[in-house]
Amino acid sequence: MSAELHHIITGQKLRPEQVAERTVAIHLELLERSSYLKVPNFHIIHPQDLELLFDAYDAAFFQGAVRRAVGNAPLRFALSKRLTSAGGKTKRTRTRATGALSYELSVSSTILFNSFEEGDHRAIVACGLECRDRLEAVQRIMEHEIIHLIELLVWNKSKCSASRFQAITRNFFGHKAHTHSLITPRETAYVKHGIRSGSTVTFVLDGKQHVGVVNRVTRRATVLIEDPQGVRYTNGKHYFKCYVPVELLTVVGGIARGS
Ligand SMILES: [Zn+2]
């Protein structure tokens, strides 16, 4: 357990103006220092940007104590395409053989790039705060994830639905919630294309027209096509499973699930 980090996280009380001042400074600092991210509504982001952001937060809010607590353990930053509903994720891994710890902090690029598009149908809120651009959203996600990392370093456990986590994020970053409302691919599929789980859809694959039922929507839709040679599902029918970009689907019927 890191005594220094414990002291900072439990002993510091920030005023809302201090929080605002520091987070705005970090916003500007990133735009200035990043080799990739040049505008607040960027179209390119690199894992290096996450590291820059992390170190900026560590310096401005925790006097560098997070890095010191991580010590020599590897700390990796990643952009994840596979996170399609969470905005980010903090993971600690212990190697079986040696017991060595490593950490990984990832941010969902899928959700980031799916939000803040021209003509978005609604406002984007992360951690209970409205975000005006992608960089603000990444900042909110980083603020959330850095507290996960700090809790792991100090208390060995972290849970964002718990009151301790929420008290810390409220104090340090003014967060009002531990969730986000960035636009997930699932929401876009429904709002823009009318497609959701249970929709009957049609699409062309290899020149052949297929009809199926949408089972799940993540980055792509999982469509089940009835076929006697497919896998048996719990409803007794046999299906082939296809992953299809939502844009290629046309809805031909309403919700078929349960029928
Ligand atoms: Zn969380």
Side-chain angles (χ1 to χ4, degrees):
M1 188 274 244
S2 161
E4 184 198 17
L5 196 51
H6 181 264
H7 182 74
I8 294 171
I9 206 81
T10 55
Q12 249 180 42
K13 190 88 194 85
L14 296 181
R15 292 190 314 275
E17 350 31 295
Q18 289 176 297
V19 175
E21 204 176 286
R22 294 180 196 183
T23 50
V24 168
I26 290 173
H27 192 94
L28 297 173
E29 183 188 335
L30 206 80
L31 291 174
E32 206 176 287
R33 293 187 53 201
S34 169
S35 316
Y36 305 91
L37 213 148
K38 294 293 172 201
V39 289
N41 244 342
F42 54 84
H43 291 277
I44 302 170
I45 181 170
H46 188 277
Q48 263 178 24
D49 295 319
L50 299 179
E51 187 154 17
L52 275 177
L53 201 57
F54 172 86
D55 284 320
Y57 272 100
D58 192 15
F61 287 89
F62 310 106
Q63 292 110 63
V66 188
R67 276 274 183 201
R68 283 194 290 281
V70 169
N72 292 328
L75 170 60
R76 280 182 288 270
F77 296 88
L79 287 159
S80 166
K81 284 186 184 166
R82 299 183 64 124
L83 290 174
T84 56
S85 67
K89 192 174 176 182
T90 299
K91 208 166 73 182
R92 179 177 58 180
T93 319
R94 188 185 293 274
T95 311
R96 264 216 194 142
T98 62
L101 291 173
S102 63
Y103 300 89
E104 187 181 79
L105 207 153
S106 43
V107 168
S108 166
S109 52
T110 300
I111 286 192
L112 271 182
F113 289 118
N114 197 64
S115 301
F116 305 102
E117 290 280 39
E118 277 298 299
D120 268 356
H121 57 284
R122 61 167 176 80
I124 310 283
V125 177
C127 309
L129 306 171
E130 187 166 345
C131 303
R132 283 166 297 189
D133 51 58
R134 289 193 177 120
L135 182 50
E136 286 193 354
V138 182
Q139 286 187 266
R140 299 298 87 80
I141 295 170
M142 177 58 73
E143 291 161 4
H144 182 98
E145 298 308 324
I146 206 170
I147 300 302
H148 271 307
L149 178 63
I150 289 172
E151 280 201 325
L152 286 174
L153 292 164
V154 174
W155 292 287
N156 250 314
K157 274 195 184 123
S158 182
K159 196 171 168 197
C160 52
S161 57
S163 57
R164 181 184 64 204
F165 185 99
Q166 290 169 20
I168 296 171
T169 50
R170 199 176 322 121
N171 174 36
F172 277 90
F173 305 122
H175 290 185
K176 298 187 173 92
H178 67 288
T179 52
H180 70 76
S181 75
L182 276 89
I183 301 173
T184 61
R186 183 179 297 123
E187 180 175 340
T188 304
Y190 185 56
V191 173
K192 293 204 176 142
H193 306 279
I195 288 163
R196 58 177 157 161
S197 289
S199 300
T200 304
V201 291
T202 169
F203 63 98
V204 177
L205 183 71
D206 298 331
K208 201 180 154 211
Q209 180 107 26
H210 297 270
V211 178
V213 176
V214 174
N215 192 33
R216 212 162 101 86
V217 183
T218 55
R219 265 191 302 151
R220 282 175 286 177
T222 310
V223 181
L224 300 179
I225 299 167
E226 221 181 317
D227 190 304
Q229 285 171 5
V231 177
R232 191 171 189 272
Y233 276 66
T234 44
N235 64 359
K237 293 181 178 176
H238 295 252
Y239 297 98
F240 269 130
K241 197 151 94 173
C242 286
Y243 299 99
V244 191
V246 171
E247 310 80 73
L248 300 185
L249 298 174
T250 309
V251 182
V252 292
I255 301 302
R257 177 164 287 175
S259 64

